[in-house]
Amino acid sequence: MAEVKQRTLEWESYEEQKKNHWPKAGRHILANYDEETIVVYQAYKSEIGKWAAANGKLNGAPGFDPERITWIKTNFLWMMYRSNWASSKNQDTILAIWLKREAFERYLSVAAHTTFYPEIHATKKEFSKAMKDSTERLQWDPDHSPSGGKLTRRAIQIGLRKVESFINGDDIVQIQDITQKVREQFKFVTEKNYPELKTPRERVYKMS
C-alpha cells in the first residue's frame, strides 16, 4: 500500500501577503492550494472537530448533523471573523480540510447563488427554485481584517447540504485540527502586533 502523503499547512507573514499578494477589492477566492488540493476551513465544537480530525471525515462525529447545511470557507481570516478566533460558542475547534480540487470545482460548477443576480437568474421565481433544488450554495461575503474590520474585498463560502461525498470523506484528503496554532497567532492580534502575525499562505485561486 502506498504511503499517504501528510500535508502541512504553510504559514506566512500576514503583512507581506496583504501587501504583495491579496487584492484590495472585488470577489476573489483566496486559498492555500496545490496541484491536487485546496484547503478549506470549518469551525466546530470540540467533540465534532477532534473526531473529524482523527477520522478524516465528518459523518459519524458525535453531535454532527448530516441533515444540516455545512459551510466551507477558503479564506482563513473570514473563518477567524466568523469564529472569533476559535472563541465563539460551538466554534472552538478550527479544522483545516485538504479538499480535492476536482471536488471543490465541482461544487462551484453547480452551486446556486444565495443572492439574486439578474445576470444569472431570469426571474425571482427561477432564483427561488434554484435555491430550493440545490445541494450546493455559493455566497460572497465581506472579507475581514484580523481584528474583524470589514473590507471591500469579498470572500467566498460554499454551503453543502447532504453532499455525501463531502461528509463521508470521499472528497477529503486530510483534516487537521489547527486550533492551537490559531490561538498562538491570536495573541498578536490582541496585542496589535501585526508584523509578527502569520496566517496560512493564500493566493488568488486559479481554476484547473
Side-chain angles (χ1 to χ4, degrees), residues 29-113:
I29 301 175
L30 288 180
N32 183 292
Y33 66 98
D34 58 24
E35 292 182 356
E36 300 174 345
T37 62
I38 178 171
V39 176
V40 297
Y41 303 97
Q42 292 196 296
Y44 288 103
K45 56 185 178 180
S46 60
E47 53 262 46
I48 295 178
K50 293 184 184 303
W51 190 96
N55 292 275
K57 63 179 182 177
L58 288 158
N59 206 15
F64 178 76
D65 183 357
E67 298 295 314
R68 290 185 60 183
I69 190 167
T70 185
W71 293 87
I72 58 175
K73 303 161 182 65
T74 69
N75 185 290
F76 175 79
L77 287 176
W78 203 102
M79 185 75 265
M80 294 305 97
Y81 165 75
R82 185 68 178 84
S83 68
N84 196 20
W85 289 84
S87 66
S88 294
K89 183 179 180 182
N90 294 329
Q91 296 188 71
D92 53 62
T93 301
I94 307 298
L95 299 179
I97 301 173
W98 278 259
L99 188 66
K100 295 174 184 176
R101 286 184 62 173
E102 172 274 323
F104 177 74
E105 294 182 13
R106 184 177 74 247
Y107 303 159
L108 282 179
S109 70
V110 298
H113 287 261

Side-chain angles (χ1 to χ4, degrees), residues 14-15 18 22 75-85 87 143-151 153 185-194 197 199:
Y14 157 72
E15 291 202 332
K18 176 185 174 184
W22 297 347
N75 185 290
F76 175 79
L77 287 176
W78 203 102
M79 185 75 265
M80 294 305 97
Y81 165 75
R82 185 68 178 84
S83 68
N84 196 20
W85 289 84
S87 66
D143 205 349
H144 292 267
S145 69
S147 62
K150 188 181 293 187
L151 305 178
R153 183 178 64 236
Q185 295 304 309
F186 183 48
K187 70 179 181 180
F188 298 123
V189 178
T190 59
E191 297 167 357
K192 294 183 169 55
N193 187 4
Y194 297 116
L197 175 63
T199 57

Side-chain angles (χ1 to χ4, degrees), residues 56-57 99-100 102-103 164-173:
K57 63 179 182 177
L99 188 66
K100 295 174 184 176
E102 172 274 323
E164 297 291 333
S165 58
F166 177 74
I167 63 174
N168 288 335
D170 294 335
D171 291 341
I172 293 170
V173 173

Side-chain angles (χ1 to χ4, degrees), residues 115-124 126-127:
T115 299
F116 174 75
Y117 296 108
E119 64 270 26
I120 297 175
H121 303 105
T123 64
K124 290 284 185 70
E126 182 182 304
F127 165 71

